């Protein structure tokens, strides 16, 4: 979800698991994801600002809001392939983010 943090005056993204599929295993995996993501500090990895549990018992992550669509959506919307140089730049950014995660033992 996209939300607004009134105290810090910024847009944020709130990630929540589907409540109807919330098993103890999913709760544990969600927490593990939060801890892993919070340990990575890199320009190509979305930072975690907060983690918690709502009044309804559903866990949540508050992250930086990144405008735009998903990479999959952008690629599907294009009528022709990206130029090789542009595609390589996108892959490079992703690879640098994955390398940062790997350096922290996440991947």
């Amino acid at each position: 979800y996209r939300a607004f943090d009134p105290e810090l005056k910024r847009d944020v993204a709130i990630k929540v698991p589907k409540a109807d599929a919330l098993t103890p295993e999913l709760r544990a995996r969600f927490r593990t994801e939060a801890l892993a993501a919070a340990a990575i500090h890199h320009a190509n990895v979305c930072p975690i600002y907060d983690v918690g549990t709502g009044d309804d018992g559903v866990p949540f992550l508050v992250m930086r809001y990144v405008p735009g669509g998903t990479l999959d959506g952008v690629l599907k919307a294009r009528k022709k392939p990206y130029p090789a140089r542009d595609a390589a730049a996108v892959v490079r950014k992703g690879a640098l983010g994955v390398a940062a995660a790997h350096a922290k033992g996440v991947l």
Side-chain angles (χ1 to χ4, degrees), residues 1 6 9 12 34 52 65:
Y1 298 99
K9 299 186 181 358
V12 295
Y65 171 71

Side-chain angles (χ1 to χ4, degrees), residues 65-106:
Y65 171 71
V66 180
T70 64
L71 178 58
D72 182 55
V74 170
L75 293 174
K76 286 179 179 174
R78 286 190 57 88
K79 303 290 186 226
K80 56 185 177 180
Y82 268 96
R85 181 177 292 281
D86 295 345
V90 170
V91 170
R92 180 180 185 274
K93 286 181 180 182
L96 291 171
V98 169
H102 181 69
K104 290 291 187 176
V106 174

Side-chain angles (χ1 to χ4, degrees), residues 10-95:
R10 63 181 174 191
D11 287 330
V12 295
I14 300 176
K15 181 176 181 178
V16 295
K18 291 183 178 183
D20 60 345
L22 198 53
T23 64
E25 293 80 19
L26 181 59
R27 282 181 185 277
R29 192 171 84 204
F30 199 78
R31 179 167 172 71
T32 299
E33 176 187 341
L35 292 170
I40 304 166
H41 303 283
H42 191 275
N44 297 330
V45 176
C46 193
I48 302 284
Y49 295 147
D50 195 11
V51 61
T53 303
D55 293 339
D56 56 0
V58 176
F60 63 86
L61 301 177
V62 180
M63 308 168 77
R64 178 192 314 153
Y65 171 71
V66 180
T70 64
L71 178 58
D72 182 55
V74 170
L75 293 174
K76 286 179 179 174
R78 286 190 57 88
K79 303 290 186 226
K80 56 185 177 180
Y82 268 96
R85 181 177 292 281
D86 295 345
V90 170
V91 170
R92 180 180 185 274
K93 286 181 180 182

